[in-house]
């Protein structure tokens, strides 16, 4: 309920101001917060935001690019948790992006922490939206009557399970085989612990390697994105290295 003015938006970036995914996040916040916003346009470097009462229920937005659906959902989640009624929020755009948490992170890691805090939130990936094409669809459902409690998370606890998922879309399946070999070698995963998904229903080609580490107290998800000219082995190595560094920390 407190008005805010943000100046010099993304001032240090090569392309300063609001890009499409940031603008979509603002528009989503306007919708769920009965808000008035000035400067909510592409390229804007100043934004005034005056929120009103939170509006629960069904909402759907489209980023119109491969911008991160997960960051938009994380924008509207806090106010919707305060609502007395349930909400469903649908975002179309990118689901696996650089510099943003992938969709599986919301369900496995972020969602687990929310559950421990007393929130009843679920995330459902209905359609993959790989970078740079986008076109994915991610759904968040929030139950009514949430009362949040503090979360004390000081230790991760023993490792219960580690697994990996390799997504290929419009690229040779041999890429996934090479990535699987790296993951099994570096992380000691058994063949059954590496899942290969040949995603046909996407708007463009792409490759994603995900490593999920479930511990007693928390879960973490590590992601590496394939890109043109980058060997499959290097993509898998990036994800494995991040997971090992976290486990050794």
């Amino acid at each position: 309920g407190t008005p805010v003015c943000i100046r010099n938006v993304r001032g240090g970036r090569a392309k300063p101001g609001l890009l499409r995914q940031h603008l979509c996040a603002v528009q989503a916040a306007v919708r769920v917060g009965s808000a008035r916003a000035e400067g909510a346009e592409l390229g804007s470097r100043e934004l005034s935001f005056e929120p009103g009462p939170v509006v629960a229920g069904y909402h759907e937005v489209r980023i119109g690019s491969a911008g991160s659906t997960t960051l938009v959902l994380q924008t509207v989640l806090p106010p919707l948790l305060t609502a007395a009624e349930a909400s469903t929020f649908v975002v179309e755009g990118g689901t696996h992006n650089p510099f943003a948490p992938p969709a599986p992170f919301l369900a496995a890691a972020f969602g687990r922490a929310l559950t421990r805090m007393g929130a009843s939130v679920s995330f459902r990936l209905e359609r993959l939206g790989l970078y740079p094409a986008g076109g994915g669809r991610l759904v968040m459902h929030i139950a009514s009557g949430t009362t949040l409690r503090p979360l004390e998370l000081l230790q991760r606890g023993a490792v219960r399970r580690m697994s990996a998922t390799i997504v290929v879309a419009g690229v040779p399946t041999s890429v996934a085989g090479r990535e699987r070999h790296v993951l099994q070698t570096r992380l000691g995963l058994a063949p059954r612990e590496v899942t290969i998904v040949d995603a046909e229903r996407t708007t463009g080609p792409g490759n994603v390697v995900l490593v999920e580490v479930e511990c007693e107290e928390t879960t973490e998800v590590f992601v590496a994105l394939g890109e043109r000219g980058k060997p499959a082995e290097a993509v898998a190595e990036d994800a494995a290295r991040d997971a090992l560094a976290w486990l050794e920390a």
Side-chain angles (χ1 to χ4, degrees):
T2 303
V4 61
C5 183
I6 306 172
R7 298 183 176 89
N8 198 28
V9 174
R10 303 179 68 253
R13 300 301 294 270
K15 293 183 179 180
L18 297 173
L19 296 185
R20 194 170 297 279
Q21 74 181 45
H22 314 118
L23 177 59
C24 183
V26 172
Q27 293 169 338
V30 166
R31 181 178 299 188
V32 304
S34 306
R36 294 195 309 146
E38 295 183 8
E41 56 191 45
L42 287 174
S44 175
R45 300 182 64 172
E46 182 167 319
L47 175 73
S48 296
F49 186 84
E50 185 178 344
V54 174
V55 180
Y58 182 87
H59 302 275
E60 184 168 342
V61 298
R62 294 174 176 84
I63 298 176
S65 70
S68 174
T69 56
T70 60
L71 294 181
V72 173
L73 289 184
Q74 287 183 322
T75 299
V76 298
L77 173 64
L80 290 177
L81 281 173
T82 70
E85 300 174 357
S87 294
T88 297
F89 205 104
V90 182
V91 187
E92 293 190 358
T95 59
H96 297 69
N97 300 65
F99 310 113
F105 172 87
L106 291 192
F110 187 67
R112 180 179 177 185
L114 287 172
T115 298
R116 291 186 57 179
M117 295 178 70
S120 182
V121 182
S122 64
F123 301 93
R124 184 174 72 257
L125 179 59
E126 291 192 344
R127 187 172 62 244
L128 280 167
L130 302 182
Y131 182 84
R137 184 177 174 91
L138 186 57
V139 180
M140 174 176 68
H141 181 74
I142 304 172
S144 59
T146 296
T147 301
L148 292 179
R149 54 179 178 266
L151 172 66
E152 185 175 282
L153 184 56
L154 303 179
Q155 303 290 333
R156 69 163 187 246
V159 176
R160 289 178 173 172
R161 181 183 63 87
M162 182 159 40
S163 62
T165 302
I166 301 170
V167 180
V168 288
V171 298
T173 54
S174 60
V175 168
R178 291 156 57 192
E179 292 171 337
R180 177 174 58 190
H181 177 73
V182 172
L183 295 173
Q184 290 182 224
T185 302
R186 294 282 278 123
L187 300 176
L189 298 176
R192 67 179 184 280
E193 294 172 321
V194 182
T195 301
I196 295 177
V197 178
D198 190 353
E200 298 179 354
R201 293 179 62 246
T202 61
T203 56
N207 171 224
V208 182
V209 174
L210 295 152
V211 176
E212 181 178 325
V213 183
E214 180 186 332
C215 300
E216 289 179 327
E217 298 296 324
T218 188
T219 299
E220 188 56 279
V221 177
F222 305 91
V223 61
L225 303 179
E227 54 187 90
R228 187 180 299 275
K230 185 171 184 177
E233 291 81 3
V235 178
E237 175 63 28
D238 286 348
R241 184 184 61 246
D242 288 348
L244 290 171
W246 186 77
L247 287 168
E248 294 167 0

